[in-house]
Amino acid sequence: MSLRRLQIFLEVAARGSFAAAADRLGLAQSAVSMQMRTLEQELGADLFDRSRRPPVLNDRGTALIPQARAILTQYEDLKQSVQPDGHIAGTLRLGVIQTASTAVLPGALTSLHERFPDLRVRIESGLSAGLLGRVAHGELDAAILTAPDRLPPELKDHLIFEEPLSVIAPSALAGASDAELLTRHPFIRFNRRTGVGRIIEHALRRRGLAVDEAMELDAIEPIIEMVSCGLGVAVVPAYALDPGTRDAIRVLPFGDPVATRKVIVVERHASTRSALTAVLVEALTGLH
């Protein structure tokens, strides 16, 4: 049985369709479909309900997911076991929130590539809550995310940095304090389903600040762009603001004391990828 077919199968299971898996893997949809047909022939069982469009996993396919994941994990562990002592090699399946993918990850990956050329990092993006669940269920080896209020008992965390939050506004807007800016002008909200979005919402409620919500967006860059265009005010992680952006808009601390969010790496206590996660954490903390 081909390990590559199991990798493709897990990608289809994670993405929900042959087309989405093909886009992720850089393959033609027909190639993914053919690989899944071959896998079914090797196993002697149908894994997909092809009476539906697009095809979906049937019960046998769903039952195969943890077994396929375990086989691939064992293969990665086997490769690591034959490496010389201290040699870092293998693949780390890493989940990353959007705000970390642009702020800290590129520098860390550059450092890892230079120091450990046999280490591969496979990145999946998502929201903090979703990534937390995927690490807990073994779909990811580790994830960079905003610290939740409570961590599941099967997971442990490594603090990367604690980041202040900032109120940003067009330079011409009136308001001497962050509270005045937030309550007197349209508010551009960071998605409340994200970790940092929940922190912002809780801080607003705790301070009793009623905002006039104009829009709710999922990513930092468009929020900053909307503010720069004069469409309202927002609260964002401070490290997302480069010097050029800071010069073009007003930037005030969010609260006194300033509200913060903690960015952490999470992994399972029993992870077989702990050595790979450790070098990632070292690279990330070395940037701050």
Side-chain angles (χ1 to χ4, degrees):
M1 182 186 301
S2 165
L3 292 174
R4 177 61 171 164
R5 289 193 191 101
L6 289 181
Q7 291 172 333
I8 295 172
F9 168 76
L10 289 177
E11 201 65 53
V12 173
R15 302 291 168 181
S17 72
F18 292 174
D23 287 343
R24 169 68 182 175
L25 296 168
L27 299 173
Q29 182 175 341
S30 59
V32 171
S33 179
M34 182 178 67
Q35 292 285 350
M36 293 303 92
R37 283 287 191 189
T38 302
L39 180 62
E40 289 174 318
Q41 292 168 5
E42 289 176 338
L43 295 174
D46 291 335
L47 303 175
F48 297 90
D49 179 358
R50 288 183 171 80
S51 67
R52 300 173 62 178
R53 291 291 180 269
V56 297
L57 286 173
N58 59 24
D59 290 343
R60 287 183 293 273
T62 301
L64 180 62
I65 292 174
Q67 299 175 62
R69 190 178 295 132
I71 290 171
L72 292 174
T73 297
Q74 290 170 2
Y75 174 68
E76 289 293 335
D77 293 343
L78 179 64
K79 289 198 299 183
Q80 181 65 32
S81 70
V82 298
Q83 300 298 323
D85 289 345
H87 183 72
I88 298 296
T91 301
L92 181 70
R93 300 169 299 172
L94 178 67
V96 183
I97 55 174
Q98 185 270 336
T99 51
S101 65
T102 55
V104 299
L105 192 58
L109 292 181
T110 299
S111 173
L112 287 175
H113 179 70
E114 292 172 350
R115 295 178 58 200
F116 309 109
D118 294 327
L119 171 62
R120 302 288 180 267
V121 181
R122 181 181 175 185
I123 296 172
E124 301 274 351
S125 61
L127 303 181
S128 291
L131 295 176
L132 200 67
R134 295 185 66 189
V135 175
H137 289 99
E139 296 175 27
L140 295 169
D141 300 314
I144 305 172
L145 46 82
T146 299
D149 294 332
R150 187 168 53 231
L151 203 65
E154 65 269 29
L155 300 183
K156 61 181 178 179
D157 67 297
H158 310 273
L159 178 65
I160 304 304
F161 59 83
E162 186 167 3
E163 178 178 23
L165 301 182
S166 296
V167 174
I168 59 174
S171 299
L173 284 192
S177 67
D178 67 323
E180 289 181 4
L181 287 171
L182 289 166
T183 55
R184 293 172 57 181
H185 304 287
F187 183 56
I188 302 170
R189 182 185 292 279
F190 202 97
N191 189 337
R192 277 167 286 197
R193 294 185 298 115
T194 66
V196 70
R198 288 194 297 273
I199 291 172
I200 293 168
E201 174 65 10
H202 291 162
L204 290 172
R205 291 182 179 180
R206 186 171 60 251
R207 295 175 61 186
L209 299 179
V211 297
D212 179 15
E213 186 172 323
M215 60 189 82
E216 186 169 354
L217 300 174
D218 290 327
I220 292 288
E221 288 82 359
I223 290 176
I224 295 173
E225 183 65 24
M226 294 293 180
V227 171
S228 299
C229 291
L231 297 177
V233 302
V235 179
V236 300
Y239 297 162
L241 303 171
D242 58 44
T245 299
R246 287 180 173 275
D247 291 342
I249 59 177
R250 292 186 66 187
V251 181
L252 283 73
F254 180 40
D256 183 16
V258 64
T260 64
R261 62 103 173 233
K262 292 180 179 179
V263 175
I264 60 175
V265 170
V266 296
E267 63 174 333
R268 295 182 303 283
H269 284 288
S271 174
T272 59
R273 296 288 185 279
S274 58
L276 307 187
T277 303
V279 297
L280 170 70
V281 170
E282 181 184 356
L284 288 167
T285 53
L287 297 174
H288 291 274

